[in-house]
Each structure stands twice: as C-alpha cells, then as structure tokens.
PDB file of all heavy atoms in Angstrom:
ATOM      1  N   LYS A  14     -24.021 -10.581   7.475  1.00  0.00           N
ATOM      2  CA  LYS A  14     -23.299 -11.121   8.628  1.00  0.00           C
ATOM      3  C   LYS A  14     -22.924 -12.582   8.409  1.00  0.00           C
ATOM      4  O   LYS A  14     -21.866 -13.050   8.838  1.00  0.00           O
ATOM      5  CB  LYS A  14     -24.163 -10.983   9.896  1.00  0.00           C
ATOM      6  CG  LYS A  14     -24.486  -9.552  10.289  1.00  0.00           C
ATOM      7  CD  LYS A  14     -23.225  -8.790  10.685  1.00  0.00           C
ATOM      8  CE  LYS A  14     -23.554  -7.409  11.244  1.00  0.00           C
ATOM      9  NZ  LYS A  14     -24.049  -6.489  10.211  1.00  0.00           N
ATOM     10  N   ALA A  15     -23.800 -13.333   7.720  1.00  0.00           N
ATOM     11  CA  ALA A  15     -23.519 -14.754   7.479  1.00  0.00           C
ATOM     12  C   ALA A  15     -22.294 -14.928   6.586  1.00  0.00           C
ATOM     13  O   ALA A  15     -21.390 -15.710   6.881  1.00  0.00           O
ATOM     14  CB  ALA A  15     -24.740 -15.433   6.854  1.00  0.00           C
ATOM     15  N   ASP A  16     -22.246 -14.181   5.465  1.00  0.00           N
ATOM     16  CA  ASP A  16     -21.096 -14.269   4.571  1.00  0.00           C
ATOM     17  C   ASP A  16     -19.835 -13.728   5.245  1.00  0.00           C
ATOM     18  O   ASP A  16     -18.733 -14.255   5.038  1.00  0.00           O
ATOM     19  CB  ASP A  16     -21.358 -13.485   3.275  1.00  0.00           C
ATOM     20  CG  ASP A  16     -22.344 -14.197   2.369  1.00  0.00           C
ATOM     21  OD1 ASP A  16     -22.397 -15.440   2.413  1.00  0.00           O
ATOM     22  OD2 ASP A  16     -23.074 -13.513   1.627  1.00  0.00           O
ATOM     23  N   GLY A  17     -20.004 -12.669   6.042  1.00  0.00           N
ATOM     24  CA  GLY A  17     -18.859 -12.132   6.776  1.00  0.00           C
ATOM     25  C   GLY A  17     -18.302 -13.144   7.757  1.00  0.00           C
ATOM     26  O   GLY A  17     -17.079 -13.295   7.898  1.00  0.00           O
ATOM     27  N   LEU A  18     -19.191 -13.871   8.439  1.00  0.00           N
ATOM     28  CA  LEU A  18     -18.752 -14.907   9.377  1.00  0.00           C
ATOM     29  C   LEU A  18     -18.011 -16.017   8.640  1.00  0.00           C
ATOM     30  O   LEU A  18     -16.971 -16.504   9.112  1.00  0.00           O
ATOM     31  CB  LEU A  18     -19.968 -15.478  10.110  1.00  0.00           C
ATOM     32  CG  LEU A  18     -19.694 -16.579  11.142  1.00  0.00           C
ATOM     33  CD1 LEU A  18     -18.795 -16.048  12.259  1.00  0.00           C
ATOM     34  CD2 LEU A  18     -20.998 -17.108  11.726  1.00  0.00           C
ATOM     35  N   ALA A  19     -18.524 -16.416   7.471  1.00  0.00           N
ATOM     36  CA  ALA A  19     -17.856 -17.450   6.676  1.00  0.00           C
ATOM     37  C   ALA A  19     -16.456 -17.000   6.263  1.00  0.00           C
ATOM     38  O   ALA A  19     -15.513 -17.799   6.238  1.00  0.00           O
ATOM     39  CB  ALA A  19     -18.685 -17.785   5.438  1.00  0.00           C
ATOM     40  N   MET A  20     -16.306 -15.706   5.942  1.00  0.00           N
ATOM     41  CA  MET A  20     -14.995 -15.178   5.565  1.00  0.00           C
ATOM     42  C   MET A  20     -14.011 -15.275   6.722  1.00  0.00           C
ATOM     43  O   MET A  20     -12.868 -15.718   6.552  1.00  0.00           O
ATOM     44  CB  MET A  20     -15.112 -13.719   5.124  1.00  0.00           C
ATOM     45  CG  MET A  20     -15.712 -13.528   3.744  1.00  0.00           C
ATOM     46  SD  MET A  20     -15.598 -11.814   3.154  1.00  0.00           S
ATOM     47  CE  MET A  20     -13.857 -11.728   2.699  1.00  0.00           C
ATOM     48  N   TRP A  21     -14.449 -14.874   7.909  1.00  0.00           N
ATOM     49  CA  TRP A  21     -13.544 -14.908   9.058  1.00  0.00           C
ATOM     50  C   TRP A  21     -13.209 -16.336   9.470  1.00  0.00           C
ATOM     51  O   TRP A  21     -12.065 -16.630   9.850  1.00  0.00           O
ATOM     52  CB  TRP A  21     -14.159 -14.142  10.239  1.00  0.00           C
ATOM     53  CG  TRP A  21     -14.084 -12.660  10.087  1.00  0.00           C
ATOM     54  CD1 TRP A  21     -15.118 -11.792   9.884  1.00  0.00           C
ATOM     55  CD2 TRP A  21     -12.895 -11.854  10.102  1.00  0.00           C
ATOM     56  NE1 TRP A  21     -14.653 -10.504   9.772  1.00  0.00           N
ATOM     57  CE2 TRP A  21     -13.299 -10.501   9.910  1.00  0.00           C
ATOM     58  CE3 TRP A  21     -11.538 -12.141  10.260  1.00  0.00           C
ATOM     59  CZ2 TRP A  21     -12.381  -9.463   9.873  1.00  0.00           C
ATOM     60  CZ3 TRP A  21     -10.624 -11.087  10.219  1.00  0.00           C
ATOM     61  CH2 TRP A  21     -11.037  -9.779  10.031  1.00  0.00           C
ATOM     62  N   VAL A  22     -14.189 -17.224   9.382  1.00  0.00           N
ATOM     63  CA  VAL A  22     -13.929 -18.639   9.706  1.00  0.00           C
ATOM     64  C   VAL A  22     -12.890 -19.210   8.745  1.00  0.00           C
ATOM     65  O   VAL A  22     -11.952 -19.916   9.159  1.00  0.00           O
ATOM     66  CB  VAL A  22     -15.246 -19.452   9.636  1.00  0.00           C
ATOM     67  CG1 VAL A  22     -14.955 -20.948   9.649  1.00  0.00           C
ATOM     68  CG2 VAL A  22     -16.160 -19.088  10.803  1.00  0.00           C
ATOM     69  N   THR A  23     -13.046 -18.908   7.459  1.00  0.00           N
ATOM     70  CA  THR A  23     -12.083 -19.381   6.462  1.00  0.00           C
ATOM     71  C   THR A  23     -10.702 -18.791   6.720  1.00  0.00           C
ATOM     72  O   THR A  23      -9.687 -19.502   6.678  1.00  0.00           O
ATOM     73  CB  THR A  23     -12.543 -18.984   5.046  1.00  0.00           C
ATOM     74  OG1 THR A  23     -13.856 -19.477   4.822  1.00  0.00           O
ATOM     75  CG2 THR A  23     -11.610 -19.551   3.988  1.00  0.00           C
ATOM     76  N   PHE A  24     -10.658 -17.501   6.986  1.00  0.00           N
ATOM     77  CA  PHE A  24      -9.380 -16.815   7.206  1.00  0.00           C
ATOM     78  C   PHE A  24      -8.613 -17.435   8.364  1.00  0.00           C
ATOM     79  O   PHE A  24      -7.434 -17.784   8.228  1.00  0.00           O
ATOM     80  CB  PHE A  24      -9.645 -15.333   7.466  1.00  0.00           C
ATOM     81  CG  PHE A  24      -8.400 -14.519   7.691  1.00  0.00           C
ATOM     82  CD1 PHE A  24      -7.634 -14.102   6.615  1.00  0.00           C
ATOM     83  CD2 PHE A  24      -7.997 -14.185   8.972  1.00  0.00           C
ATOM     84  CE1 PHE A  24      -6.480 -13.347   6.819  1.00  0.00           C
ATOM     85  CE2 PHE A  24      -6.848 -13.435   9.191  1.00  0.00           C
ATOM     86  CZ  PHE A  24      -6.085 -13.012   8.109  1.00  0.00           C
ATOM     87  N   PHE A  25      -9.277 -17.581   9.498  1.00  0.00           N
ATOM     88  CA  PHE A  25      -8.583 -18.128  10.668  1.00  0.00           C
ATOM     89  C   PHE A  25      -8.320 -19.626  10.526  1.00  0.00           C
ATOM     90  O   PHE A  25      -7.341 -20.147  11.062  1.00  0.00           O
ATOM     91  CB  PHE A  25      -9.379 -17.835  11.942  1.00  0.00           C
ATOM     92  CG  PHE A  25      -9.295 -16.402  12.388  1.00  0.00           C
ATOM     93  CD1 PHE A  25     -10.404 -15.582  12.353  1.00  0.00           C
ATOM     94  CD2 PHE A  25      -8.090 -15.864  12.808  1.00  0.00           C
ATOM     95  CE1 PHE A  25     -10.321 -14.248  12.737  1.00  0.00           C
ATOM     96  CE2 PHE A  25      -7.991 -14.533  13.198  1.00  0.00           C
ATOM     97  CZ  PHE A  25      -9.115 -13.728  13.157  1.00  0.00           C
ATOM     98  N   GLY A  26      -9.188 -20.318   9.776  1.00  0.00           N
ATOM     99  CA  GLY A  26      -8.944 -21.740   9.510  1.00  0.00           C
ATOM    100  C   GLY A  26      -7.666 -21.940   8.712  1.00  0.00           C
ATOM    101  O   GLY A  26      -6.829 -22.794   9.044  1.00  0.00           O
ATOM    102  N   VAL A  27      -7.500 -21.142   7.644  1.00  0.00           N
ATOM    103  CA  VAL A  27      -6.288 -21.227   6.820  1.00  0.00           C
ATOM    104  C   VAL A  27      -5.067 -20.800   7.624  1.00  0.00           C
ATOM    105  O   VAL A  27      -4.023 -21.452   7.600  1.00  0.00           O
ATOM    106  CB  VAL A  27      -6.424 -20.341   5.560  1.00  0.00           C
ATOM    107  CG1 VAL A  27      -5.094 -20.222   4.824  1.00  0.00           C
ATOM    108  CG2 VAL A  27      -7.494 -20.904   4.637  1.00  0.00           C
ATOM    109  N   LEU A  28      -5.206 -19.708   8.352  1.00  0.00           N
ATOM    110  CA  LEU A  28      -4.067 -19.121   9.050  1.00  0.00           C
ATOM    111  C   LEU A  28      -3.626 -19.955  10.252  1.00  0.00           C
ATOM    112  O   LEU A  28      -2.431 -20.084  10.525  1.00  0.00           O
ATOM    113  CB  LEU A  28      -4.426 -17.704   9.504  1.00  0.00           C
ATOM    114  CG  LEU A  28      -3.317 -16.654   9.488  1.00  0.00           C
ATOM    115  CD1 LEU A  28      -2.725 -16.527   8.097  1.00  0.00           C
ATOM    116  CD2 LEU A  28      -3.848 -15.313   9.958  1.00  0.00           C
ATOM    117  N   CYS A  29      -4.585 -20.545  10.965  1.00  0.00           N
ATOM    118  CA  CYS A  29      -4.260 -21.230  12.220  1.00  0.00           C
ATOM    119  C   CYS A  29      -4.151 -22.749  12.082  1.00  0.00           C
ATOM    120  O   CYS A  29      -3.583 -23.405  12.977  1.00  0.00           O
ATOM    121  CB  CYS A  29      -5.304 -20.902  13.282  1.00  0.00           C
ATOM    122  SG  CYS A  29      -5.382 -19.137  13.666  1.00  0.00           S
ATOM    123  N   ILE A  30      -4.691 -23.332  10.999  1.00  0.00           N
ATOM    124  CA  ILE A  30      -4.601 -24.789  10.834  1.00  0.00           C
ATOM    125  C   ILE A  30      -3.717 -25.091   9.634  1.00  0.00           C
ATOM    126  O   ILE A  30      -2.547 -25.387   9.770  1.00  0.00           O
ATOM    127  CB  ILE A  30      -6.001 -25.425  10.685  1.00  0.00           C
ATOM    128  CG1 ILE A  30      -6.897 -25.040  11.880  1.00  0.00           C
ATOM    129  CG2 ILE A  30      -5.880 -26.948  10.600  1.00  0.00           C
ATOM    130  CD1 ILE A  30      -8.329 -25.507  11.771  1.00  0.00           C
ATOM    131  N   ASP A  31      -4.267 -25.040   8.439  1.00  0.00           N
ATOM    132  CA  ASP A  31      -3.489 -25.126   7.202  1.00  0.00           C
ATOM    133  C   ASP A  31      -4.390 -24.742   6.035  1.00  0.00           C
ATOM    134  O   ASP A  31      -5.594 -24.560   6.199  1.00  0.00           O
ATOM    135  CB  ASP A  31      -2.867 -26.515   6.988  1.00  0.00           C
ATOM    136  CG  ASP A  31      -3.901 -27.622   6.885  1.00  0.00           C
ATOM    137  OD1 ASP A  31      -4.758 -27.552   5.981  1.00  0.00           O
ATOM    138  OD2 ASP A  31      -3.871 -28.567   7.702  1.00  0.00           O
ATOM    139  N   ILE A  32      -3.801 -24.637   4.859  1.00  0.00           N
ATOM    140  CA  ILE A  32      -4.528 -24.121   3.695  1.00  0.00           C
ATOM    141  C   ILE A  32      -5.724 -24.989   3.331  1.00  0.00           C
ATOM    142  O   ILE A  32      -6.843 -24.497   3.191  1.00  0.00           O
ATOM    143  CB  ILE A  32      -3.557 -23.985   2.497  1.00  0.00           C
ATOM    144  CG1 ILE A  32      -2.715 -22.732   2.669  1.00  0.00           C
ATOM    145  CG2 ILE A  32      -4.312 -23.907   1.187  1.00  0.00           C
ATOM    146  CD1 ILE A  32      -1.801 -22.431   1.509  1.00  0.00           C
ATOM    147  N   SER A  33      -5.509 -26.287   3.168  1.00  0.00           N
ATOM    148  CA  SER A  33      -6.585 -27.177   2.709  1.00  0.00           C
ATOM    149  C   SER A  33      -7.702 -27.276   3.743  1.00  0.00           C
ATOM    150  O   SER A  33      -8.884 -27.165   3.408  1.00  0.00           O
ATOM    151  CB  SER A  33      -6.020 -28.564   2.403  1.00  0.00           C
ATOM    152  OG  SER A  33      -5.080 -28.503   1.353  1.00  0.00           O
ATOM    153  N   THR A  34      -7.325 -27.471   5.005  1.00  0.00           N
ATOM    154  CA  THR A  34      -8.335 -27.586   6.064  1.00  0.00           C
ATOM    155  C   THR A  34      -9.131 -26.296   6.194  1.00  0.00           C
ATOM    156  O   THR A  34     -10.353 -26.316   6.376  1.00  0.00           O
ATOM    157  CB  THR A  34      -7.673 -27.935   7.403  1.00  0.00           C
ATOM    158  OG1 THR A  34      -6.878 -29.114   7.252  1.00  0.00           O
ATOM    159  CG2 THR A  34      -8.716 -28.161   8.482  1.00  0.00           C
ATOM    160  N   GLY A  35      -8.434 -25.167   6.094  1.00  0.00           N
ATOM    161  CA  GLY A  35      -9.116 -23.875   6.190  1.00  0.00           C
ATOM    162  C   GLY A  35     -10.140 -23.701   5.095  1.00  0.00           C
ATOM    163  O   GLY A  35     -11.245 -23.202   5.340  1.00  0.00           O
ATOM    164  N   LEU A  36      -9.794 -24.118   3.867  1.00  0.00           N
ATOM    165  CA  LEU A  36     -10.741 -23.996   2.761  1.00  0.00           C
ATOM    166  C   LEU A  36     -11.943 -24.914   2.967  1.00  0.00           C
ATOM    167  O   LEU A  36     -13.094 -24.512   2.733  1.00  0.00           O
ATOM    168  CB  LEU A  36     -10.057 -24.325   1.440  1.00  0.00           C
ATOM    169  CG  LEU A  36     -10.939 -24.232   0.189  1.00  0.00           C
ATOM    170  CD1 LEU A  36     -11.539 -22.839   0.036  1.00  0.00           C
ATOM    171  CD2 LEU A  36     -10.158 -24.612  -1.065  1.00  0.00           C
ATOM    172  N   ILE A  37     -11.684 -26.136   3.418  1.00  0.00           N
ATOM    173  CA  ILE A  37     -12.782 -27.072   3.677  1.00  0.00           C
ATOM    174  C   ILE A  37     -13.715 -26.508   4.747  1.00  0.00           C
ATOM    175  O   ILE A  37     -14.944 -26.554   4.611  1.00  0.00           O
ATOM    176  CB  ILE A  37     -12.230 -28.442   4.104  1.00  0.00           C
ATOM    177  CG1 ILE A  37     -11.519 -29.113   2.919  1.00  0.00           C
ATOM    178  CG2 ILE A  37     -13.347 -29.345   4.617  1.00  0.00           C
ATOM    179  CD1 ILE A  37     -10.761 -30.373   3.294  1.00  0.00           C
ATOM    180  N   ILE A  38     -13.130 -25.958   5.810  1.00  0.00           N
ATOM    181  CA  ILE A  38     -13.934 -25.354   6.881  1.00  0.00           C
ATOM    182  C   ILE A  38     -14.770 -24.205   6.324  1.00  0.00           C
ATOM    183  O   ILE A  38     -15.950 -24.053   6.659  1.00  0.00           O
ATOM    184  CB  ILE A  38     -13.023 -24.864   8.027  1.00  0.00           C
ATOM    185  CG1 ILE A  38     -12.414 -26.056   8.771  1.00  0.00           C
ATOM    186  CG2 ILE A  38     -13.799 -23.980   8.996  1.00  0.00           C
ATOM    187  CD1 ILE A  38     -11.378 -25.663   9.797  1.00  0.00           C
ATOM    188  N   GLY A  39     -14.163 -23.399   5.463  1.00  0.00           N
ATOM    189  CA  GLY A  39     -14.889 -22.281   4.859  1.00  0.00           C
ATOM    190  C   GLY A  39     -16.061 -22.743   4.016  1.00  0.00           C
ATOM    191  O   GLY A  39     -17.157 -22.182   4.097  1.00  0.00           O
ATOM    192  N   ILE A  40     -15.836 -23.787   3.200  1.00  0.00           N
ATOM    193  CA  ILE A  40     -16.914 -24.313   2.353  1.00  0.00           C
ATOM    194  C   ILE A  40     -18.027 -24.894   3.204  1.00  0.00           C
ATOM    195  O   ILE A  40     -19.215 -24.647   2.968  1.00  0.00           O
ATOM    196  CB  ILE A  40     -16.358 -25.374   1.380  1.00  0.00           C
ATOM    197  CG1 ILE A  40     -15.390 -24.727   0.383  1.00  0.00           C
ATOM    198  CG2 ILE A  40     -17.494 -26.060   0.624  1.00  0.00           C
ATOM    199  CD1 ILE A  40     -14.637 -25.721  -0.466  1.00  0.00           C
ATOM    200  N   ILE A  41     -17.651 -25.674   4.225  1.00  0.00           N
ATOM    201  CA  ILE A  41     -18.654 -26.271   5.118  1.00  0.00           C
ATOM    202  C   ILE A  41     -19.451 -25.191   5.837  1.00  0.00           C
ATOM    203  O   ILE A  41     -20.685 -25.264   5.939  1.00  0.00           O
ATOM    204  CB  ILE A  41     -17.985 -27.226   6.125  1.00  0.00           C
ATOM    205  CG1 ILE A  41     -17.428 -28.460   5.406  1.00  0.00           C
ATOM    206  CG2 ILE A  41     -18.971 -27.651   7.209  1.00  0.00           C
ATOM    207  CD1 ILE A  41     -16.608 -29.380   6.299  1.00  0.00           C
ATOM    208  N   SER A  42     -18.747 -24.169   6.325  1.00  0.00           N
ATOM    209  CA  SER A  42     -19.445 -23.089   7.042  1.00  0.00           C
ATOM    210  C   SER A  42     -20.415 -22.362   6.114  1.00  0.00           C
ATOM    211  O   SER A  42     -21.507 -21.967   6.534  1.00  0.00           O
ATOM    212  CB  SER A  42     -18.430 -22.099   7.625  1.00  0.00           C
ATOM    213  OG  SER A  42     -17.758 -21.386   6.597  1.00  0.00           O
ATOM    214  N   THR A  43     -20.028 -22.218   4.837  1.00  0.00           N
ATOM    215  CA  THR A  43     -20.923 -21.579   3.869  1.00  0.00           C
ATOM    216  C   THR A  43     -22.215 -22.364   3.715  1.00  0.00           C
ATOM    217  O   THR A  43     -23.314 -21.795   3.708  1.00  0.00           O
ATOM    218  CB  THR A  43     -20.231 -21.455   2.495  1.00  0.00           C
ATOM    219  OG1 THR A  43     -19.045 -20.688   2.640  1.00  0.00           O
ATOM    220  CG2 THR A  43     -21.147 -20.766   1.490  1.00  0.00           C
ATOM    221  N   PHE A  44     -22.088 -23.691   3.588  1.00  0.00           N
ATOM    222  CA  PHE A  44     -23.278 -24.520   3.408  1.00  0.00           C
ATOM    223  C   PHE A  44     -24.130 -24.547   4.681  1.00  0.00           C
ATOM    224  O   PHE A  44     -25.361 -24.539   4.606  1.00  0.00           O
ATOM    225  CB  PHE A  44     -22.884 -25.937   3.005  1.00  0.00           C
ATOM    226  CG  PHE A  44     -22.573 -26.070   1.544  1.00  0.00           C
ATOM    227  CD1 PHE A  44     -21.268 -26.159   1.103  1.00  0.00           C
ATOM    228  CD2 PHE A  44     -23.587 -26.076   0.597  1.00  0.00           C
ATOM    229  CE1 PHE A  44     -20.973 -26.269  -0.249  1.00  0.00           C
ATOM    230  CE2 PHE A  44     -23.315 -26.180  -0.752  1.00  0.00           C
ATOM    231  CZ  PHE A  44     -22.003 -26.280  -1.180  1.00  0.00           C
ATOM    232  N   ILE A  45     -23.472 -24.564   5.838  1.00  0.00           N
ATOM    233  CA  ILE A  45     -24.232 -24.540   7.096  1.00  0.00           C
ATOM    234  C   ILE A  45     -25.025 -23.240   7.203  1.00  0.00           C
ATOM    235  O   ILE A  45     -26.221 -23.235   7.559  1.00  0.00           O
ATOM    236  CB  ILE A  45     -23.285 -24.698   8.301  1.00  0.00           C
ATOM    237  CG1 ILE A  45     -22.721 -26.127   8.343  1.00  0.00           C
ATOM    238  CG2 ILE A  45     -24.020 -24.391   9.609  1.00  0.00           C
ATOM    239  CD1 ILE A  45     -21.680 -26.344   9.417  1.00  0.00           C
ATOM    240  N   LEU A  46     -24.374 -22.125   6.892  1.00  0.00           N
ATOM    241  CA  LEU A  46     -25.055 -20.830   6.953  1.00  0.00           C
ATOM    242  C   LEU A  46     -26.151 -20.725   5.893  1.00  0.00           C
ATOM    243  O   LEU A  46     -27.197 -20.110   6.134  1.00  0.00           O
ATOM    244  CB  LEU A  46     -24.043 -19.700   6.771  1.00  0.00           C
ATOM    245  CG  LEU A  46     -23.067 -19.520   7.936  1.00  0.00           C
ATOM    246  CD1 LEU A  46     -21.925 -18.587   7.550  1.00  0.00           C
ATOM    247  CD2 LEU A  46     -23.788 -18.992   9.169  1.00  0.00           C
ATOM    248  N   LEU A  47     -25.910 -21.338   4.729  1.00  0.00           N
ATOM    249  CA  LEU A  47     -26.940 -21.359   3.686  1.00  0.00           C
ATOM    250  C   LEU A  47     -28.169 -22.130   4.154  1.00  0.00           C
ATOM    251  O   LEU A  47     -29.313 -21.667   3.996  1.00  0.00           O
ATOM    252  CB  LEU A  47     -26.375 -21.987   2.410  1.00  0.00           C
ATOM    253  CG  LEU A  47     -27.367 -22.177   1.247  1.00  0.00           C
ATOM    254  CD1 LEU A  47     -27.871 -20.831   0.750  1.00  0.00           C
ATOM    255  CD2 LEU A  47     -26.722 -22.957   0.114  1.00  0.00           C
TER     256      LEU A  47
END
C-alpha cells in the first residue's frame, strides 16, 4: 500500500502540477513512507 500510494501521488503530481514537481513529490513521498 505504501509503494502504491507513492505511485498515485507521483502520477497526480506530474499530471496536475508539472513533470519536475511531480517527480520531486514522488521522491519525497517515497522517503516519507520509508
């Protein structure tokens, strides 16, 4: 569920904000979940 949540956060971050910000959000969310 943690990795799945990181995937969805990254997906919507890229899609709804922009590519770079979405990737940064995804990386940050991964470390937070870790």
Side-chain angles (χ1 to χ4, degrees):
K14 297 295 187 290
D16 287 331
L18 180 61
M20 285 189 76
W21 284 111
V22 167
T23 305
F24 181 80
F25 286 113
V27 170
L28 215 57
C29 299
I30 305 175
D31 61 59
I32 282 185
S33 297
T34 305
L36 180 58
I37 292 171
I38 290 173
I40 294 171
I41 292 173
S42 68
T43 301
F44 279 104
I45 290 175
L46 291 168
L47 176 64

